[in-house]
Amino acid sequence: AEDGIRDYKVTGVQTCALPILQGFDITESRRRDRMLAQTQQVALVGGWEIDLQTGELYWTEETWRLHDLEPNSIVLTAERAIAFYTAGSREILIEAFEKAKQGRPYGLELEIVSASGRHRWVYTTGAVSWEDGKPVRLYGSFQDISERREVEHALRESEQRLQLALSASDLGFWEWDVGEDMAHQDEDWLRRARSEEHTSELQSPCN
């Protein structure tokens, strides 16, 4: 709908005399759908749902994109979706999937290999929907967290390099938490402090 033109869906029923027509403004519905798709793309988060009775699996457009696939380009099944996960992640997901059917929701950080061979870390959630006391569908979210994982990995490597440098230089590390009024030291600092204290005692004229 552009330039003031609105979209309408017309439905009708036939009576013995004349058909009765009724119009529904679907402009807002289309706008909501478009905004939802745009929001998912910006946030790199999609959604999924599986019918436990029929096995039919549904992905939102962003979930397809995160797998490097065009929407509806393949026939989706649970087995085919799980196959995108790496071996270790696949085992974790299958176990969580079975527990979710029993009413135990999950939120996991797992690794996938997309259709184009790209490795991605994703945060995926799952929960069950019940009808008449029976689980009828599972649904959840699917978010790309690869960038965050890369930052965390780089930070860990930086901390490890710093620790190696401190150990090689025989230096220690300490910090003071002003809020808790508490000091924290690493093992190298404590070892050096104990050594210097011991040396000071040996050199004391009182001994």
Side-chain angles (χ1 to χ4, degrees):
E2 298 179 356
D3 301 326
I5 301 175
R6 303 184 70 84
D7 297 321
Y8 286 86
K9 177 181 180 182
V10 178
T11 61
V13 294
Q14 181 69 48
T15 65
C16 295
L18 295 173
I20 301 175
L21 301 180
Q22 183 175 11
F24 298 92
D25 185 354
I26 61 175
T27 303
E28 289 301 320
S29 177
R30 288 183 175 177
R31 181 179 293 116
R32 285 194 298 269
D33 290 343
R34 184 179 69 251
M35 290 179 64
L36 176 60
Q38 292 171 341
T39 301
Q40 289 183 345
Q41 185 172 3
V42 171
L44 300 179
V45 58
W48 62 272
E49 178 181 292
I50 184 168
D51 187 319
L52 296 178
Q53 308 301 316
T54 64
E56 182 181 2
L57 176 62
Y58 170 79
W59 282 353
T60 63
E61 287 190 10
E62 185 61 17
T63 302
W64 283 97
R65 194 191 69 78
L66 291 174
H67 286 81
D68 291 336
L69 290 169
E70 290 295 324
N72 303 312
S73 58
I74 63 172
V75 177
L76 279 180
T77 62
E79 292 76 15
R80 202 162 191 175
I82 290 173
F84 283 103
Y85 290 83
T86 59
S89 293
R90 195 180 306 140
E91 293 179 3
I92 296 172
L93 181 61
I94 291 174
E95 181 179 356
F97 199 77
E98 293 303 318
K99 290 180 179 179
K101 293 179 182 178
Q102 302 169 17
R104 297 174 59 180
Y106 64 82
L108 300 168
E109 294 187 5
L110 303 172
E111 187 178 15
I112 69 168
V113 181
S114 73
S116 63
R118 185 180 307 179
H119 284 254
R120 280 194 175 103
W121 279 93
V122 298
Y123 179 72
T124 180
T125 65
V128 68
S129 178
W130 301 82
E131 288 184 9
D132 299 325
K134 297 180 179 180
V136 293
R137 67 186 180 98
L138 286 173
Y139 62 93
S141 62
F142 189 87
Q143 182 177 17
D144 186 350
I145 59 169
S146 301
E147 185 174 345
R148 195 204 78 197
R149 294 278 301 205
E150 289 174 2
V151 171
E152 291 175 349
H153 179 68
L155 179 59
R156 284 194 299 270
E157 285 190 335
S158 177
E159 291 174 344
Q160 290 172 359
R161 287 195 296 269
L162 174 59
Q163 188 61 47
L164 287 173
L166 290 173
S167 298
S169 60
D170 198 29
L171 295 174
F173 173 80
W174 67 272
E175 66 177 2
W176 187 272
D177 189 323
V178 178
E180 296 183 1
D181 191 26
M182 184 178 296
H184 304 278
Q185 310 90 9
D186 69 356
E187 287 298 322
D188 290 329
W189 191 94
L190 292 172
R191 177 178 53 79
R192 186 178 181 86
R194 287 193 293 266
S195 176
E196 291 179 353
E197 181 181 356
H198 179 64
T199 301
S200 177
E201 290 176 353
L202 291 177
Q203 294 176 348
S204 173
C206 298
N207 291 332

